[in-house]
């Protein structure tokens, strides 16, 4: 049995003051959640989030991590630094980073390896653009991204990994993949992982859906057999909405 995991992706939103308000509102709303609850927050809000969620069922994550240990990497943040301030999870390879900040399958792989080496749990994002879907390349794209992200890794490494399947055309657009569409691609990703790392690892691996997931569509998505959770952008910025997704 895979424990469902609902993770918020705050993106570049919320100062520390706003984070405090949102977390304090959220805590009682999700206290009895059955799913694992994570909020991935901007670097500057991680320490605040860790302090405020201490003793609660909310876990904290970052939105990226350097592939290097330390040194001359201006603007980067290391895994050790993230752990020190209380991050447990980290989003890697979000499509916004792939599209706007030059992230590639190779850098996603390096960051994933580095996160695992330091005891951070990666949430690795994959997903096709609208153009790729319309030209019938969805499977090729997610296969290449999945194989790329986990290159050189062993089956046991996947124990602490989550994949987020996020069709780029559904992110922040209000267009959700239908539950069946999402499940079909996620089942395919699972089959790719099975080919690479064996069926046992694939069966254990949690794969989330992400892209305009909200209180209205969460139940239908979560009812699908291969969908093990969600990576929630917009709806994670409102405590009530996020709690409704968490308690789909
Ligand atoms: P969205 O974002 O829920 O606002 O579509 C999801 C994501 O980008 O992780």
């Amino acid at each position: 049995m895979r424990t469902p995991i609902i993770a918020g992706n705050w993106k570049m939103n919320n100062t520390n003051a706003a984070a405090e308000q949102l977390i304090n509102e959220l805590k009682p709303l999700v206290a009895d959640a059955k799913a694992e609850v994570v909020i991935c927050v901007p670097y500057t809000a991680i320490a605040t989030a860790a302090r405020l969620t201490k003793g609660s069922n909310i876990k904290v994550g970052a939105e990226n991590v350097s592939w290097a240990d330390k040194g001359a990497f201006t603007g980067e943040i290391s895994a050790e630094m993230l752990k020190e301030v209380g991050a447990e999870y980290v989003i890697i390879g979000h499509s916004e980073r792939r599209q706007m900040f030059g992230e590639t399958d190779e850098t996603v792989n390096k960051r994933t390896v580095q996160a695992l080496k330091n005891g951070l749990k990666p949430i690795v994002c994959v997903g096709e653009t609208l153009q790729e879907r319309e030209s019938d390349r969805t499977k090729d794209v997610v296969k290449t991204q999945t194989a790329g992200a986990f290159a050189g890794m062993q089956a046991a490494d996947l124990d602490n990994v989550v994949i987020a399947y996020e069709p780029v055309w559904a992110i922040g657009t209000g267009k959700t993949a239908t539950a069946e569409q999402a499940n079909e691609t996620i089942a395919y990703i699972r089959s790719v992982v099975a080919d690479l790392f064996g069926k046992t690892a694939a069966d254990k691996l949690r794969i989330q859906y992400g892209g305009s997931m909200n209180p209205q569509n969460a139940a239908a998505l979560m009812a699908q057999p291969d969908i093990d959770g969600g990576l929630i952008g917009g709806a994670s910025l409102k405590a009530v909405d996020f709690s409704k997704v968490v308690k789909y």
Side-chain angles (χ1 to χ4, degrees), residues 14-247:
N14 291 329
T15 59
N16 274 280
E20 180 156 355
Q21 216 176 344
L22 177 51
I23 292 167
N24 284 336
E25 206 184 324
L26 182 64
K27 262 197 295 192
L29 296 176
V30 299
D32 60 346
K34 293 194 182 69
E36 188 175 350
V37 185
V38 183
I39 49 172
C40 296
V41 308
Y43 293 133
T44 48
I46 294 173
T48 296
R51 173 173 57 81
L52 294 169
T53 56
K54 203 167 176 193
S56 80
N57 61 330
I58 302 174
K59 295 169 182 172
V60 176
E63 300 175 12
N64 193 13
V65 60
S66 174
W67 60 71
D69 288 334
K70 65 193 296 190
F73 300 95
T74 303
E76 289 290 285
I77 303 286
S78 75
E80 186 185 12
M81 293 166 181
L82 296 178
K83 294 255 322 190
E84 182 192 42
V85 289
E88 179 174 339
Y89 281 88
V90 59
I91 297 171
I92 297 175
H94 190 278
S95 62
E96 286 150 19
R97 295 217 59 86
R98 292 178 190 260
Q99 292 190 322
M100 292 185 277
F101 302 101
E103 203 74 65
T104 64
D105 290 339
E106 192 192 343
T107 58
V108 169
N109 176 245
K110 286 167 77 173
R111 293 184 204 279
T112 304
V113 168
Q114 180 71 357
L116 287 171
K117 193 177 96 183
N118 287 276
L120 282 170
K121 298 172 184 164
I123 299 174
V124 176
C125 303
V126 301
E128 81 287 0
T129 62
L130 184 59
Q131 203 194 0
E132 287 163 344
R133 174 162 285 263
E134 285 174 345
S135 55
D136 214 15
R137 286 168 51 213
T138 298
K139 286 187 174 175
D140 281 351
V141 169
V142 297
K143 182 179 183 176
T144 303
Q145 289 177 340
T146 302
F150 304 126
M153 292 175 33
Q154 311 295 318
D157 294 327
L158 292 189
D159 285 353
N160 289 314
V161 167
V162 174
I163 294 181
Y165 165 60
E166 300 203 304
V168 179
W169 48 271
I171 295 178
T173 56
K175 283 187 205 160
T176 342
T178 65
E180 292 75 19
Q181 268 175 334
N183 191 69
E184 187 190 344
T185 308
I186 288 176
Y188 175 71
I189 293 168
R190 201 179 298 287
S191 77
V192 169
V193 173
D195 288 344
L196 292 167
F197 298 101
K199 190 170 182 309
T200 310
D203 284 345
K204 278 195 291 185
L205 178 69
R206 293 183 294 177
I207 309 182
Q208 300 170 314
Y209 168 78
S212 299
M213 192 160 163
N214 60 40
Q216 286 73 45
N217 58 31
L221 287 160
M222 292 303 293
Q224 294 290 325
D226 275 288
I227 302 182
D228 305 317
L231 186 56
I232 321 299
S236 75
L237 299 174
K238 294 198 183 107
V240 172
D241 285 359
F242 187 59
S243 72
K244 285 183 180 163
V245 177
V246 165
K247 302 209 262 181

